[in-house]
Amino acid sequence: MSVTTPLRVVLPAAAGRDPFFDNAKFLAITLVVSGHLIEDLRDVPVAHAAYFFVYTFHMPLFIVLSGYLSRNFTFGSGKARKLISTLAVPYVIFELIYSLPRLLLYGKLDISLLDPYYLTWFLMSLFLWRLSTPVWQQLRWPLVVAVGLSLLSGMSRLPDELSMNRTLGLLPFYVLGLMLRPEHFEWLRRRWVRVAGAVTLAAGAALALAVHTSVKTEWIRWRHANDAIGVDDLTGSLIRLAMLAAGTLLVAAFLAVTPSRRTWYSGLGMATMYAYLLHGLVVKVAERFYGDWSQTVPGVAAVGLFGVGLAALLCTAPVRRVTHWAVEPSMSWAFTRLRKPG
C-alpha cells in the first residue's frame, strides 16, 4: 500500500486508539484504490501481475482487521443501531449512487438491493459476518467450520443475492480476525518477524510476476463456483485452500511490516470507509481517460501512485464533512430510545 508525498495535516488521534491498526487500514485502502485503478490496464503484464498480487490479500487484510475489531459485537440495541447506521444505510445509499454512473455511461438503470453492485458487496458481506459474530464465538473450532463452509460454497453455484459467493468464500478471514488477540499482533512486531514479513512480500510479488498468466483471475475474486471457473470440485477445493493459505500468509507479512508508531497517515486510517465507498466513483470516471500513455510501465506506475494520493485525499476532513451524510449518516431520528430487556 505505499508511499506518497507526505501530508502534514494529521487528524487528531482518538483517545486509546492503537496507531498500528489505523496505519494498517490506511495502507490497506491504498492497495484497494490503486488495485481498482489499474484493473482496466491488465493488458500490460506488470499491471496484471500487480493486480494479481494485490488482490490475493488486500481484501483478506481488510476482512481480518474487520473481524478483529468486531470481537465485542453483540445483539445489544446499541450495537444493532451502529450496524444499521454504519453498514445497512450506507449500503442502500451507495447502491443508489453507483446506479447513476451506469445510467450516464451505459444507459442502464438496474437497482437490486439484494444483489450488490461493484464494491458495495463488502458492506453486505460485513453486515452478515458481523451478525454471525456471536455464533462463531460459541464454537469450539470456528476456523475449521468457516474453512469448511468456504470450500462447500465453491461446490455450488450460489445466487448473487446477498453476495453469497464472497460472503461464504471469504468467511475464514473474518473468523480468523475474531480469533486473534493483542498478543498475536505483538508477536508480529518482533524484529525477525518484520524481516521475514518483508522477505515474504517480496517473494510473493516475484511469484505473482512469474505465475499471473497461469492462474485464472476469478480465483482471486471469490465470485464463482468451481465449475464456473472450469475445474472439478476436488481441484477447486485444493485451489481455494491454497488461496486461503496464501492470503493468510501475505496478510501476516503485511501486518508485520506495518509501522506500529504514529505516522502522518495514522489519522487518515480512522476514515478508510470514506475512501472505500467514494473511490469507485473516481475510478469509473478515470477509466474513460486511459489511453496509450497508460499502457506502459511508467503509465501503470503513475496510475498506481495516483491511487495512493486519491486514497489519502478521500480520508481527509474536508471530504468527510461533505460526504458524512452518505458514509456515516446520522440515524438517531429513526430509532426509539434505548430500551433494556426487562
Side-chain angles (χ1 to χ4, degrees), residues 161-193:
E161 283 75 13
L162 303 181
S163 189
M164 291 305 299
N165 288 288
R166 281 169 166 156
T167 299
L168 291 176
L170 292 164
L171 174 63
F173 294 112
Y174 182 79
V175 176
L176 174 62
L178 289 176
M179 296 173 61
L180 293 176
R181 296 293 178 265
E183 53 267 29
H184 296 129
F185 293 97
E186 288 296 329
W187 182 81
L188 287 175
R189 297 176 190 182
R190 296 181 180 182
R191 182 174 178 79
W192 72 268
V193 178

Short mmCIF file of all heavy atoms in Angstrom, two decimals, residues 161-193:
data_model
loop_
_atom_site.label_atom_id
_atom_site.label_comp_id
_atom_site.label_asym_id
_atom_site.label_seq_id
_atom_site.Cartn_x
_atom_site.Cartn_y
_atom_site.Cartn_z
N GLU A 161 -27.50 -12.89 -4.98
CA GLU A 161 -28.14 -12.16 -3.88
C GLU A 161 -27.34 -12.34 -2.59
O GLU A 161 -26.83 -13.43 -2.30
CB GLU A 161 -29.58 -12.63 -3.67
CG GLU A 161 -30.56 -12.09 -4.70
CD GLU A 161 -30.43 -12.77 -6.06
OE1 GLU A 161 -29.75 -13.81 -6.13
OE2 GLU A 161 -31.00 -12.26 -7.04
N LEU A 162 -27.26 -11.25 -1.82
CA LEU A 162 -26.53 -11.21 -0.55
C LEU A 162 -25.03 -11.49 -0.72
O LEU A 162 -24.34 -11.80 0.24
CB LEU A 162 -27.13 -12.19 0.47
CG LEU A 162 -28.61 -12.02 0.79
CD1 LEU A 162 -29.05 -13.03 1.83
CD2 LEU A 162 -28.90 -10.61 1.26
N SER A 163 -24.55 -11.41 -1.97
CA SER A 163 -23.13 -11.64 -2.24
C SER A 163 -22.67 -12.96 -1.64
O SER A 163 -21.60 -13.06 -1.02
CB SER A 163 -22.29 -10.48 -1.66
OG SER A 163 -20.96 -10.56 -2.09
N MET A 164 -23.48 -14.02 -1.85
CA MET A 164 -23.26 -15.27 -1.15
C MET A 164 -21.91 -15.91 -1.43
O MET A 164 -21.28 -16.49 -0.55
CB MET A 164 -24.38 -16.26 -1.48
CG MET A 164 -25.74 -15.86 -0.91
SD MET A 164 -25.70 -15.59 0.89
CE MET A 164 -25.22 -17.21 1.47
N ASN A 165 -21.43 -15.84 -2.68
CA ASN A 165 -20.16 -16.46 -3.01
C ASN A 165 -19.02 -15.83 -2.22
O ASN A 165 -18.18 -16.53 -1.63
CB ASN A 165 -19.89 -16.33 -4.52
CG ASN A 165 -20.78 -17.23 -5.34
OD1 ASN A 165 -20.61 -18.45 -5.37
ND2 ASN A 165 -21.75 -16.64 -6.01
N ARG A 166 -18.96 -14.51 -2.22
CA ARG A 166 -17.90 -13.84 -1.48
C ARG A 166 -18.11 -13.94 0.03
O ARG A 166 -17.16 -14.09 0.79
CB ARG A 166 -17.82 -12.38 -1.91
CG ARG A 166 -17.09 -12.19 -3.24
CD ARG A 166 -17.27 -10.80 -3.76
NE ARG A 166 -16.33 -10.49 -4.83
CZ ARG A 166 -16.52 -9.56 -5.75
NH1 ARG A 166 -17.64 -8.84 -5.71
NH2 ARG A 166 -15.63 -9.32 -6.68
N THR A 167 -19.35 -13.83 0.47
CA THR A 167 -19.63 -13.86 1.89
C THR A 167 -19.16 -15.17 2.51
O THR A 167 -18.52 -15.18 3.57
CB THR A 167 -21.14 -13.67 2.16
OG1 THR A 167 -21.54 -12.39 1.65
CG2 THR A 167 -21.45 -13.73 3.65
N LEU A 168 -19.45 -16.28 1.85
CA LEU A 168 -19.04 -17.58 2.38
C LEU A 168 -17.59 -17.90 2.01
O LEU A 168 -16.86 -18.49 2.81
CB LEU A 168 -19.97 -18.68 1.86
CG LEU A 168 -21.40 -18.64 2.41
CD1 LEU A 168 -22.26 -19.69 1.75
CD2 LEU A 168 -21.40 -18.84 3.92
N GLY A 169 -17.17 -17.52 0.81
CA GLY A 169 -15.81 -17.83 0.38
C GLY A 169 -14.75 -17.16 1.23
O GLY A 169 -13.73 -17.76 1.57
N LEU A 170 -14.98 -15.90 1.59
CA LEU A 170 -14.01 -15.12 2.36
C LEU A 170 -14.27 -15.18 3.86
O LEU A 170 -13.53 -14.57 4.64
CB LEU A 170 -14.04 -13.66 1.89
CG LEU A 170 -13.51 -13.43 0.46
CD1 LEU A 170 -13.94 -12.06 -0.05
CD2 LEU A 170 -12.00 -13.55 0.42
N LEU A 171 -15.28 -15.91 4.27
CA LEU A 171 -15.64 -16.01 5.68
C LEU A 171 -14.47 -16.40 6.59
O LEU A 171 -14.35 -15.84 7.70
CB LEU A 171 -16.79 -17.02 5.83
CG LEU A 171 -17.23 -17.37 7.26
CD1 LEU A 171 -17.78 -16.13 7.97
CD2 LEU A 171 -18.28 -18.48 7.22
N PRO A 172 -13.58 -17.34 6.20
CA PRO A 172 -12.49 -17.71 7.12
C PRO A 172 -11.62 -16.53 7.55
O PRO A 172 -11.10 -16.54 8.68
CB PRO A 172 -11.68 -18.72 6.30
CG PRO A 172 -12.68 -19.34 5.38
CD PRO A 172 -13.60 -18.21 5.01
N PHE A 173 -11.46 -15.53 6.70
CA PHE A 173 -10.63 -14.38 7.08
C PHE A 173 -11.31 -13.58 8.20
O PHE A 173 -10.63 -13.09 9.11
CB PHE A 173 -10.36 -13.49 5.87
CG PHE A 173 -9.51 -14.16 4.83
CD1 PHE A 173 -10.03 -14.48 3.58
CD2 PHE A 173 -8.18 -14.47 5.08
CE1 PHE A 173 -9.26 -15.10 2.62
CE2 PHE A 173 -7.39 -15.09 4.13
CZ PHE A 173 -7.93 -15.41 2.89
N TYR A 174 -12.62 -13.46 8.13
CA TYR A 174 -13.34 -12.74 9.20
C TYR A 174 -13.25 -13.52 10.51
O TYR A 174 -12.97 -12.93 11.57
CB TYR A 174 -14.80 -12.55 8.80
CG TYR A 174 -15.60 -11.78 9.84
CD1 TYR A 174 -15.50 -10.40 9.94
CD2 TYR A 174 -16.43 -12.45 10.74
CE1 TYR A 174 -16.22 -9.69 10.90
CE2 TYR A 174 -17.15 -11.76 11.70
CZ TYR A 174 -17.04 -10.38 11.78
OH TYR A 174 -17.74 -9.70 12.74
N VAL A 175 -13.46 -14.82 10.44
CA VAL A 175 -13.40 -15.64 11.65
C VAL A 175 -11.98 -15.64 12.22
O VAL A 175 -11.80 -15.62 13.44
CB VAL A 175 -13.89 -17.07 11.33
CG1 VAL A 175 -13.73 -17.97 12.56
CG2 VAL A 175 -15.35 -17.05 10.89
N LEU A 176 -10.98 -15.67 11.34
CA LEU A 176 -9.60 -15.57 11.81
C LEU A 176 -9.40 -14.28 12.60
O LEU A 176 -8.77 -14.28 13.67
CB LEU A 176 -8.64 -15.62 10.63
CG LEU A 176 -7.15 -15.38 10.94
CD1 LEU A 176 -6.62 -16.45 11.89
CD2 LEU A 176 -6.33 -15.36 9.65
N GLY A 177 -9.92 -13.17 12.08
CA GLY A 177 -9.82 -11.90 12.80
C GLY A 177 -10.47 -11.96 14.17
O GLY A 177 -9.94 -11.43 15.15
N LEU A 178 -11.62 -12.64 14.27
CA LEU A 178 -12.30 -12.78 15.55
C LEU A 178 -11.46 -13.56 16.57
O LEU A 178 -11.54 -13.32 17.77
CB LEU A 178 -13.64 -13.52 15.37
CG LEU A 178 -14.77 -12.78 14.66
CD1 LEU A 178 -15.97 -13.70 14.49
CD2 LEU A 178 -15.18 -11.53 15.43
N MET A 179 -10.65 -14.49 16.07
CA MET A 179 -9.86 -15.35 16.95
C MET A 179 -8.56 -14.69 17.41
O MET A 179 -7.94 -15.15 18.38
CB MET A 179 -9.53 -16.67 16.23
CG MET A 179 -10.75 -17.51 15.91
SD MET A 179 -10.31 -18.94 14.88
CE MET A 179 -9.15 -19.79 15.96
N LEU A 180 -8.13 -13.65 16.72
CA LEU A 180 -6.85 -13.03 17.07
C LEU A 180 -6.96 -12.25 18.38
O LEU A 180 -8.02 -11.75 18.74
CB LEU A 180 -6.41 -12.09 15.94
CG LEU A 180 -6.04 -12.77 14.62
CD1 LEU A 180 -5.70 -11.73 13.56
CD2 LEU A 180 -4.86 -13.74 14.80
N ARG A 181 -5.83 -12.15 19.05
CA ARG A 181 -5.74 -11.43 20.31
C ARG A 181 -4.58 -10.43 20.23
O ARG A 181 -3.71 -10.55 19.36
CB ARG A 181 -5.51 -12.41 21.47
CG ARG A 181 -6.67 -13.38 21.68
CD ARG A 181 -7.92 -12.64 22.15
NE ARG A 181 -9.07 -13.53 22.31
CZ ARG A 181 -9.99 -13.73 21.39
NH1 ARG A 181 -9.91 -13.10 20.22
NH2 ARG A 181 -11.00 -14.55 21.62
N PRO A 182 -4.54 -9.43 21.11
CA PRO A 182 -3.46 -8.44 21.05
C PRO A 182 -2.07 -9.05 21.04
O PRO A 182 -1.16 -8.54 20.36
CB PRO A 182 -3.70 -7.61 22.32
CG PRO A 182 -5.17 -7.71 22.56
CD PRO A 182 -5.53 -9.10 22.15
N GLU A 183 -1.88 -10.16 21.75
CA GLU A 183 -0.54 -10.76 21.79
C GLU A 183 -0.09 -11.29 20.42
O GLU A 183 1.11 -11.37 20.16
CB GLU A 183 -0.49 -11.89 22.82
CG GLU A 183 -1.56 -12.94 22.68
CD GLU A 183 -2.79 -12.66 23.54
OE1 GLU A 183 -3.06 -11.47 23.80
OE2 GLU A 183 -3.45 -13.65 23.93
N HIS A 184 -1.04 -11.64 19.56
CA HIS A 184 -0.67 -12.08 18.21
C HIS A 184 -0.06 -10.93 17.42
O HIS A 184 0.91 -11.12 16.67
CB HIS A 184 -1.89 -12.64 17.47
CG HIS A 184 -2.46 -13.87 18.11
ND1 HIS A 184 -3.79 -14.01 18.43
CD2 HIS A 184 -1.87 -15.02 18.52
CE1 HIS A 184 -4.00 -15.18 18.98
NE2 HIS A 184 -2.85 -15.82 19.04
N PHE A 185 -0.61 -9.75 17.58
CA PHE A 185 -0.06 -8.59 16.88
C PHE A 185 1.26 -8.14 17.50
O PHE A 185 2.14 -7.65 16.79
CB PHE A 185 -1.09 -7.45 16.88
CG PHE A 185 -2.31 -7.75 16.08
CD1 PHE A 185 -3.46 -8.23 16.69
CD2 PHE A 185 -2.31 -7.59 14.70
CE1 PHE A 185 -4.60 -8.52 15.95
CE2 PHE A 185 -3.45 -7.88 13.94
CZ PHE A 185 -4.59 -8.35 14.57
N GLU A 186 1.39 -8.32 18.80
CA GLU A 186 2.67 -8.03 19.43
C GLU A 186 3.76 -8.94 18.88
O GLU A 186 4.90 -8.52 18.66
CB GLU A 186 2.56 -8.22 20.95
CG GLU A 186 1.75 -7.14 21.66
CD GLU A 186 2.39 -5.77 21.53
OE1 GLU A 186 3.64 -5.69 21.46
OE2 GLU A 186 1.66 -4.76 21.49
N TRP A 187 3.40 -10.19 18.65
CA TRP A 187 4.37 -11.14 18.07
C TRP A 187 4.82 -10.70 16.68
O TRP A 187 6.00 -10.81 16.33
CB TRP A 187 3.73 -12.53 18.01
CG TRP A 187 4.64 -13.60 17.49
CD1 TRP A 187 5.61 -14.27 18.17
CD2 TRP A 187 4.67 -14.10 16.15
NE1 TRP A 187 6.24 -15.18 17.35
CE2 TRP A 187 5.69 -15.10 16.10
CE3 TRP A 187 3.95 -13.83 14.99
CZ2 TRP A 187 5.99 -15.80 14.95
CZ3 TRP A 187 4.25 -14.53 13.82
CH2 TRP A 187 5.26 -15.50 13.82
N LEU A 188 3.89 -10.15 15.90
CA LEU A 188 4.23 -9.69 14.55
C LEU A 188 5.21 -8.53 14.56
O LEU A 188 5.86 -8.26 13.55
CB LEU A 188 2.96 -9.28 13.80
CG LEU A 188 2.02 -10.39 13.34
CD1 LEU A 188 0.76 -9.80 12.73
CD2 LEU A 188 2.72 -11.31 12.33
N ARG A 189 5.30 -7.83 15.69
CA ARG A 189 6.16 -6.65 15.75
C ARG A 189 7.61 -7.00 16.13
O ARG A 189 8.45 -6.11 16.20
CB ARG A 189 5.59 -5.65 16.76
CG ARG A 189 4.21 -5.13 16.36
CD ARG A 189 3.61 -4.21 17.41
NE ARG A 189 2.21 -3.92 17.10
CZ ARG A 189 1.43 -3.12 17.82
NH1 ARG A 189 1.94 -2.52 18.88
NH2 ARG A 189 0.17 -2.91 17.49
N ARG A 190 7.90 -8.27 16.35
CA ARG A 190 9.27 -8.65 16.65
C ARG A 190 10.14 -8.42 15.42
O ARG A 190 9.69 -8.58 14.28
CB ARG A 190 9.33 -10.12 17.05
CG ARG A 190 8.58 -10.42 18.34
CD ARG A 190 8.69 -11.88 18.72
NE ARG A 190 7.97 -12.16 19.97
CZ ARG A 190 7.94 -13.36 20.55
NH1 ARG A 190 8.58 -14.38 19.99
NH2 ARG A 190 7.27 -13.53 21.67
N ARG A 191 11.38 -8.06 15.66
CA ARG A 191 12.25 -7.66 14.55
C ARG A 191 12.40 -8.76 13.50
O ARG A 191 12.28 -8.52 12.30
CB ARG A 191 13.63 -7.25 15.10
CG ARG A 191 14.58 -6.78 14.00
CD ARG A 191 15.88 -6.25 14.58
NE ARG A 191 16.79 -5.84 13.53
CZ ARG A 191 16.73 -4.70 12.86
NH1 ARG A 191 15.78 -3.83 13.17
NH2 ARG A 191 17.59 -4.41 11.92
N TRP A 192 12.67 -9.99 13.94
CA TRP A 192 12.89 -11.05 12.97
C TRP A 192 11.62 -11.37 12.19
O TRP A 192 11.68 -11.75 11.00
CB TRP A 192 13.42 -12.31 13.66
CG TRP A 192 12.43 -13.06 14.50
CD1 TRP A 192 12.19 -12.91 15.82
CD2 TRP A 192 11.53 -14.09 14.05
NE1 TRP A 192 11.20 -13.77 16.25
CE2 TRP A 192 10.79 -14.51 15.18
CE3 TRP A 192 11.29 -14.69 12.81
CZ2 TRP A 192 9.81 -15.51 15.09
CZ3 TRP A 192 10.33 -15.69 12.73
CH2 TRP A 192 9.59 -16.09 13.86
N VAL A 193 10.45 -11.19 12.82
CA VAL A 193 9.19 -11.41 12.12
C VAL A 193 8.97 -10.32 11.07
O VAL A 193 8.50 -10.59 9.96
CB VAL A 193 8.00 -11.45 13.11
CG1 VAL A 193 6.68 -11.64 12.35
CG2 VAL A 193 8.19 -12.58 14.12
#
